Amino acid sequence: MGRLIGIFIFLAGAGLTYYGFTMLDREPPEPELPAHLEGVIIESPPTVLPAFSLLDQNGNEFDNDSLEGKWSFLFFGYTNCPDVCPTSMTVMAGLNKKQDLKDFNYIFATVDPKRDTVAQIKDFVSFFNPGFIGLTGEKVEIDKFREPLGIIYDFEGDTSSEDYVVTHFAAIYLLDPRGRMRAYVLPPHDVPRVYEAMKFIYEYYENQ
Amino acid sequence: MFRLIVLCLLFVTAVDVQAHLIVKDAWVREAPPRARTLAMFLQLTNHDDKTINIVSASSEQFEKVEIHKTSFKNGMMRMQRIESLEMSPNEVAVMKPGGLHIMLVKPARVFKAGDQINIKLHLASGKKKTVRALVRGKAPMTPMQNDHGHSH
């Protein structure tokens, strides 16, 4: 009899532990966005990134662990981009001025590592905000990082010269404190729309 | 006296040529110090009764000046060179972030907010139109004037 009770207690404990773990990792239902927010896409369940290793604007390694612990905003582009990338970076700088989004990582990652060296990236990101992170690296590592996020790009013009432009997917991404992509906002970007969308999504998942 | 009349005529003609293509609100977005490209934005109005065709552009401050157009499709950003910009009478071309812009390639030096940048638009007629623009720092999305309204 005592053994039966023991087994019962063991099973109940195991069940509770299992339930606890699934609760921790259970994906909350997808939030319903306010109808007026257009071009905002929520990834539910979130997109998990494979292992990657890039370099930040100071030449230090930046990998999956670097995304742990904080929410992040992420934008892909190239520093020779005169119009859209500076506009989206200016919007990121505008988000950074909002008190409730201050403690985020703000990350720019290049799709053009040939021209975007560590020094070039540092010059670019620090112009918009000295606290921003800029990423470059080996093409194969950038590919690991960008592909699961749906970042596609294409070079136009003579890539053996310095004069070519890059057509690229230009969304601003939201990554959760486990480095998983939760949502993205399509361009063209402006602070009020991106702020409202990101705040809504981030607060929803924070409160789950 | 004859010389004076000729001078006057020349002056009138010169003013007339300038008046055909009106430039408004020209500005250049300040870029990071190492930037190889900058973008100029402005508003052009064709005040002529004929079509005006802008076929190229140049500047002593840049190696190359081109007209470009940014377009968005399904989240993709694309920049295309516009070979020539044709403007029918009274047509207004607004160059602003996320659309048409004048791309300035390889600056001769670093330009900071407050600096002046001059370019020439070359028209199919052979005429040239000089555009003077100020570099604006950390430019907001909308022109400065629009921002003041919110702060009051």
Side-chain angles (χ1 to χ4, degrees), chain A residues 8-93:
Chain A
F8 176 77
I9 290 173
F10 173 77
L11 284 177
L16 273 174
T17 310
Y18 175 76
Y19 180 71
F21 272 119
T22 51
M23 274 301 281
L24 268 182
D25 223 27
R26 201 170 61 182
E27 176 62 13
E30 190 177 321
E32 214 168 293
L33 281 169
H36 68 275
L37 282 173
E38 285 176 14
V40 181
I41 288 96
I42 293 174
E43 292 278 298
S44 182
T47 301
V48 177
L49 294 174
F52 64 86
S53 174
L54 296 167
L55 292 174
D56 73 11
Q57 76 282 4
N58 295 314
N60 298 321
E61 189 186 10
F62 189 101
D63 60 15
N64 307 68
D65 291 345
S66 315
L67 293 168
E68 295 276 330
K70 269 189 189 185
W71 287 81
S72 303
F73 289 122
L74 169 64
F75 179 76
F76 285 81
Y78 65 112
T79 68
N80 281 299
C81 165
D83 182 20
V84 170
C85 304
T87 301
S88 293
M89 289 303 286
T90 304
V91 168
M92 295 252 280

Side-chain angles (χ1 to χ4, degrees), chain A residues 78 80-84 86-87 90-91 115 117 119-120 123-124 127-128 152 156 162-163 165-171 186-190, chain B residues 29-39 41 64 68 70 72 74-79 96-99 101 103 105-106 138-141:
Chain A
Y78 65 112
N80 281 299
C81 165
D83 182 20
V84 170
T87 301
T90 304
V91 168
R115 288 184 295 187
T117 58
Q120 184 74 21
D123 174 75
F124 184 76
F127 174 77
F128 296 98
I152 42 175
E156 291 184 48
E162 288 288 290
D163 290 326
V165 295
V166 190
T167 296
H168 62 94
F169 194 68
L186 296 175
H189 297 127
D190 61 81
Chain B
R29 193 202 318 249
E30 189 185 15
R34 293 165 70 113
R36 286 182 70 258
T37 54
L38 282 86
F41 305 99
K64 229 166 45 174
H68 279 240
T70 301
F72 296 99
N74 303 325
M76 289 289 283
M77 182 283 300
R78 181 159 190 237
M79 234 176 40
K96 58 176 189 185
H101 58 271
M103 183 152 106
V105 185
K106 281 197 195 167
K138 305 275 171 71
M141 285 285 295

